Amino acid sequence: MKLPFLPEAASALASKVDALLVAVTLMTGIVALAVVVLIIVFALKYRHGADVPRDRAPEPIQRRIRRRMEIAWVAVPLLLFIAVFGWGATLYFDHAAPPADALEIFVVAKQWMWKLQHVTGQREIDELHVPSGIPVKLVMTSQDAIHSYFVPAFRVKQDVLPGRYTVLWFTATRPGEYHLFCAEYCGTDHSRMIGKVVVLEPAAFQRWLEVNNAEPAMATRGESLFRQLGCSGCHGAHAAVRAPPLEGLYGRQVPLKGGRTAIADDRYLRDSILLPHKEIAAGYDPVMPSFAGQISDPELLDLIAYIKSLATKEPPP
Ligand code: HEC
Ligand SMILES: [Cu+2]
């Protein structure tokens, strides 16, 4: 169903968000209408000089009715609001938790463009190709200001921040082209930081990936960076420095110096490389230098993709 004033609905979440919006609008609309109608009716009925009874109701009746009314106007809105809260919270959690098998795509925002990277190596600018019917998870970061990734047709919007990864996911339902906006004022050309999401049938998407594959996969690029930057000099199999092996690291719980632990997710890997002294792996000396300022955000994503690709490997003995 296409509702007036709403953008088209092209994701699995969109119709659910619309249903909630319509329900809340109807509910508040009906209450507002009732209040306005009563104001007008009473103003006319009890206007100055009108011949209507103005006595108070007899005391016992008044007390009984008053108590019931008070209970009703507290209980009914309370139940309604709790129901709306429950409804909204369910949708929110849905929107916040990407399925584990979602297709990952990486987004780096900068003044004033969207740079997108597919795991298989393709890069795009201000245009994102995705398959329909498959959950897509965007892992996003910014090189400068705060931006916000907004696709109205999917009813999804997420801030994109420098120095950390935020996640947005959706399942596009129909092939087509949909507007992409930056929804956070990020400087002079903010209004031009727009683009489109191109949804293709899964088979057409596979073809698109193959035809446009001029670049090596992210993990392959990451592996060469790993050598160029000298990471392998410490983390490699025959390194002189005692550094933790990165095989099997991703997704694992890492014991840290001081007794805490951390999950080795994208955030942990990023911080390990840029802020190595923030979390020291237990049993190792804090000798790793910071690579902040030497690695760009896209390169960092490549390195992380490489470390991820080691997740299923065994550490050397
Ligand atoms: C001078 C040697 C050295 C270099 C060069 C080095 N590291 Fe490290 N790295 C270490 C040591 C030692 C640790 C363990 C102590 C710590 O957590 O800081 C470590 C920890 C890590 C961790 C956390 C591992 C865990 O098990 O928690 C990651 C990830 C990592 N390094 C990645 C890299 C990457 C990527 C590079 C290259 C950009 C790199 N390192 C360069 C020595 C090094
Ligand atoms: Cu922006």
Side-chain angles (χ1 to χ4, degrees), residues 93-115:
F93 284 119
D94 230 18
H95 171 55
D101 61 347
L103 173 72
E104 271 190 327
I105 298 176
F106 297 86
V107 180
V108 177
K110 60 176 271 192
Q111 285 164 327
W112 289 274
M113 63 168 82
W114 298 102
K115 296 194 286 186

Side-chain angles (χ1 to χ4, degrees), residues 222 225-235 239 241-247 249 252-257 262 264-265 268-291 294-295 300 303-304 306-307:
L225 274 173
F226 196 75
R227 284 206 210 88
Q228 277 165 35
L229 292 164
C231 317
S232 52
C234 291
H235 289 282
V241 181
R242 220 175 72 77
L246 303 181
E247 287 85 357
L249 171 65
R252 197 162 54 83
Q253 220 174 31
V254 186
L256 298 179
K257 194 172 160 185
D265 54 8
Y268 178 80
L269 296 183
R270 181 193 173 94
D271 287 355
S272 289
I273 298 166
L274 299 183
L275 310 161
H277 296 290
K278 191 176 145 208
E279 290 151 310
I280 311 281
Y284 293 92
D285 292 329
V287 292
M288 176 164 159
S290 164
F291 287 83
Q294 299 177 43
I295 313 181
L300 203 51
L303 268 178
I304 292 175
Y306 170 61
I307 298 175

Side-chain angles (χ1 to χ4, degrees), residues 69-144:
M69 275 172 65
E70 280 176 8
I71 290 173
W73 77 51
V74 171
V76 172
L78 183 69
L79 289 178
L80 281 177
F81 288 148
I82 288 176
V84 169
F85 170 78
W87 188 353
T90 320
L91 275 188
Y92 177 82
F93 284 119
D94 230 18
H95 171 55
D101 61 347
L103 173 72
E104 271 190 327
I105 298 176
F106 297 86
V107 180
V108 177
K110 60 176 271 192
Q111 285 164 327
W112 289 274
M113 63 168 82
W114 298 102
K115 296 194 286 186
L116 302 129
Q117 280 198 73
H118 295 262
V119 175
T120 40
Q122 291 82 355
R123 300 175 200 252
E124 304 186 69
I125 287 185
D126 291 342
E127 207 176 274
L128 172 64
H129 286 75
V130 295
S132 61
I134 294 171
V136 172
K137 170 181 164 188
L138 304 183
V139 177
M140 311 189 289
T141 189
S142 162
Q143 262 172 238
D144 36 51

Side-chain angles (χ1 to χ4, degrees), residues 149-224:
Y149 196 96
F150 180 32
V151 186
F154 298 167
R155 310 288 190 275
V156 291
K157 172 155 61 173
Q158 171 62 51
D159 276 8
V160 181
L161 299 114
R164 73 156 101 164
Y165 295 119
T166 53
V167 162
L168 176 73
W169 81 276
F170 55 81
T171 306
T173 45
R174 279 185 287 119
E177 291 188 0
Y178 306 99
H179 287 293
L180 158 66
F181 295 100
C182 177
E184 185 77 55
Y185 180 70
C186 56
T188 315
D189 280 345
H190 160 70
S191 63
R192 295 207 203 144
M193 197 170 157
I194 53 178
K196 62 184 174 185
V197 178
V198 182
V199 179
L200 303 171
E201 296 283 358
F205 178 70
Q206 277 311 326
R207 265 198 310 281
W208 180 87
L209 277 184
E210 279 155 26
V211 170
N212 291 279
N213 206 353
E215 300 246 15
M218 284 176 72
T220 314
R221 292 202 297 252
E223 188 175 5
S224 23

